[in-house]
């Protein structure tokens, strides 16, 4: 009776099934989520037969394939109501016994969390939009001052205005990163595919950051035996190389070395930005591409969005990105791009026939 009262009162939907997928228990909240009658006798029925067809059942079946290792979120919103449900699963075991008796599914209402996330994203989106216009005007006026349009600046004045201009540019970069993240998460980013030389894009990125590398006396090398042309969005890939190279320069000590290499891997092209910097601790490697994440004890400013944007741009090309690193010996950021990318009719991208 105590167990029944607990399962009845709990705020999460709970469904327990045996190893054959036959239902052993469905609590009140789970019945509400599936719109099942309170007195419906479900015990002994197969999950696939007893539960209504739809995204919630599909999510349960998916997470049940690997209990305890994954979860799925399902949008069950209707015109007048919002409802997001997170579905997870765990193996049912008996104390003192290693054998699994079945699977228990948890259906959690995460609507409030999703709404709060949306409010934060909307706030950032509106604020950054409102900041970009006046900041752009300020940068324009600073450029006029530096060109001497309003009168020639003496060396001290030129130095001060140049410093302000660099700070404004950095702030504009942060704002653009936040806006890019918002576009990515809303699905509004589209690739403009065209034949693109990866060696050429990497070379432009090196030229863009040449002065920054020279300030630290860091040598930057490009290793590519050919142009390595692929069908891609050149502007996105320039951001990828620039973000990775800028990151490498930031964490490489003076007189260090950075090598950008591009190699052919059959259906893919593999690129690498390798540095002789501080390296990344093992516990941080899995998080470096997440939003607002920065390596502990290695903070150099910024929002922690650069690598997140880099990962998104690579994955938008149906590629893969990862990092290999050892503390004190530097880091190597790898990413692959398919050679046979083509545009879809609906604005997306897909792989064409296999490259011969």
């Amino acid at each position: 009776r105590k167990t029944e009262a607990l399962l009845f009162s709990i705020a999460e939907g709970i469904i327990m099934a045996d190893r054959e997928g036959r239902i052993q228990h469905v609590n009140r909240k789970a019945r509400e989520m599936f719109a099942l009658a309170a007195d419906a006798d479900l015990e002994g029925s197969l999950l696939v037969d007893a539960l209504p067809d739809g995204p919630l059942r599909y999510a349960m079946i998916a997470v049940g394939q690997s209990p305890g290792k994954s979860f799925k979120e399902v949008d069950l919103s209707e015109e007048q109501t919002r409802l997001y449900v997170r579905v997870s699963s765990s193996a049912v075991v008996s104390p003192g016994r290693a054998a699994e008796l079945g699977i228990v599914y948890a259906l959690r209402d995460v609507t409030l969390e999703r709404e709060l996330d949306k409010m934060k994203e909307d706030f950032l989106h509106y604020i950054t939009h409102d900041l970009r216009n006046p900041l752009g005007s300020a940068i324009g006026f600073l450029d006029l001052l530096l060109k001497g349009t309003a009168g020639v600046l003496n060396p001290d004045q030129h130095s001060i205005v140049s410093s302000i201009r660099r700070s404004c540019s950095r702030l504009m970069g942060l704002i653009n990163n936040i806006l890019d993240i918002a576009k990515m998460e809303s699905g509004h980013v589209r690739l403009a595919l065209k034949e693109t030389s990866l060696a050429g894009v990497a070379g432009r990125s090196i030229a863009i950051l040449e002065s920054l590398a020279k300030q630290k006396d860091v040598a930057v090398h490009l290793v590519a035996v050919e142009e390595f042309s692929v069908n891609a969005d050149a502007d996105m890939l320039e951001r990828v190389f620039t973000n990775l190279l800028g990151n490498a320069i930031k964490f490489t000590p003076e007189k260090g070395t950075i090598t950008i290499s591009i190699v052919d891997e059959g259906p893919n092209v593999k690129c690498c930005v390798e540095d002789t910097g501080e390296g990344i601790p093992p516990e941080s490697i899995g998080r470096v591409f997440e939003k607002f994440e920065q390596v502990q004890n290695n903070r150099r400013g910024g929002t922690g969005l650069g690598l997140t944007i880099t990962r998104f741009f690579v994955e938008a090309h149906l590629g893969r990105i990862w990092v290999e690193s050892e503390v004190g010996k530097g880091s190597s950021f790898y990413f692959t791009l398919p050679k046979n990318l083509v545009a879809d009719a609906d604005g997306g991208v897909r792989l064409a026939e296999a490259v011969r």
Side-chain angles (χ1 to χ4, degrees):
R1 290 178 181 176
K2 290 180 180 179
T3 302
E4 288 180 0
L6 176 63
L7 291 172
F8 179 85
S9 304
I10 197 168
E12 292 187 355
I14 300 294
I15 299 177
M16 188 173 72
D18 62 17
R19 286 178 293 181
E20 285 73 40
R22 297 186 180 278
I23 294 175
Q24 302 302 305
H25 184 81
V26 182
N27 77 342
R28 172 186 59 85
K29 189 66 177 178
R31 289 175 183 267
E32 291 177 2
M33 289 181 174
F34 277 104
L36 297 168
D39 58 352
D41 185 11
L42 304 174
E43 188 170 337
S45 301
L46 290 171
L47 283 170
V48 294
D49 296 333
L51 301 179
D53 187 32
L56 195 54
R57 193 186 76 177
Y58 298 149
M60 282 185 56
I61 294 172
V63 300
Q65 302 298 318
S66 304
K69 295 182 180 179
S70 65
F71 68 87
K72 287 190 175 295
E73 286 194 6
V74 182
D75 184 358
L76 300 177
S77 303
E78 298 179 353
E79 187 175 345
Q80 301 297 328
T81 60
R82 306 291 291 172
L83 177 61
Y84 296 89
V85 177
R86 177 177 294 177
V87 184
S88 59
S89 66
S90 298
V92 178
V93 295
S94 178
R97 294 175 58 184
E100 295 181 3
L101 303 178
I103 299 175
V104 61
Y105 299 89
L107 316 176
R108 182 184 169 206
D109 184 345
V110 292
T111 306
L112 180 59
E113 295 173 26
R114 296 290 77 76
E115 293 293 338
L116 289 173
D117 286 343
K118 187 175 186 304
M119 288 172 62
K120 288 188 290 185
E121 290 166 6
D122 288 345
F123 174 75
L124 282 174
H125 182 70
Y126 294 136
I127 288 296
T128 49
H129 263 297
D130 288 344
L131 285 173
R132 190 159 64 168
N133 288 336
L135 184 59
S137 296
I139 290 174
F141 286 122
L142 289 170
D143 286 338
L144 291 176
L145 289 173
L146 290 172
K147 290 177 181 177
T149 304
V152 178
L153 303 177
N154 63 43
D156 288 340
Q157 292 170 333
H158 195 280
S159 176
I160 292 171
V161 175
S162 295
S163 179
I164 296 171
R165 176 65 171 82
R166 287 193 297 271
S167 296
C168 287
S169 295
R170 181 169 175 269
L171 180 57
M172 182 64 83
L174 299 179
I175 290 172
N176 287 334
N177 281 347
I178 294 171
L179 290 174
D180 283 340
I181 290 289
K183 287 180 184 178
M184 295 172 201
E185 294 180 337
S186 64
H188 291 159
V189 174
R190 292 289 181 266
L191 276 66
L193 296 182
K194 62 180 180 180
E195 188 172 347
T196 301
S197 164
L198 291 180
V201 173
R204 288 199 299 274
S205 299
I206 293 173
I208 290 171
L209 296 174
E210 182 180 14
S211 61
L212 187 62
K214 285 183 176 179
Q215 288 176 19
K216 297 182 69 175
D217 198 15
V218 170
V220 182
H221 305 292
L222 174 61
V223 179
V225 297
E226 58 175 279
E227 290 297 315
F228 291 105
S229 294
V230 297
N231 205 26
D233 187 307
D235 291 336
M236 281 192 184
L237 293 187
E238 185 173 302
R239 289 278 298 278
V240 169
F241 278 109
T242 302
N243 283 347
L244 293 178
L245 179 56
N247 208 54
I249 294 172
K250 185 188 300 183
F251 291 105
T252 299
E254 292 186 1
K255 302 187 183 304
T257 302
I258 298 171
T259 303
I260 299 179
S261 60
I262 307 172
V263 296
D264 191 312
E265 287 199 328
N268 301 312
V269 177
K270 183 168 79 171
C271 307
C272 177
V273 178
E274 180 182 6
D275 64 59
T276 56
E278 304 167 6
I280 303 171
E283 65 273 13
S284 297
I285 285 181
R287 304 195 311 270
V288 295
F289 294 106
E290 300 301 318
K291 281 193 301 185
F292 306 114
E293 285 289 343
Q294 292 182 322
V295 177
Q296 294 296 324
N297 303 323
N298 283 339
R299 297 182 182 275
R300 297 289 191 280
T303 59
L305 293 175
L307 290 179
T308 305
I309 292 169
T310 300
R311 181 191 53 143
F312 178 87
F313 285 167
V314 170
E315 292 177 351
H317 285 81
L318 306 185
R320 187 169 74 92
I321 186 167
W322 71 97
V323 60
E324 298 176 3
S325 182
E326 187 175 345
V327 174
K329 295 187 177 180
S331 303
S332 296
F333 283 83
Y334 297 92
F335 65 93
T336 60
L337 298 168
K339 298 177 182 177
N340 55 338
L341 207 60
V342 295
D344 264 341
D346 60 1
V349 296
R350 62 178 176 82
L351 296 178
E353 295 298 323
V355 175
R356 291 185 174 87

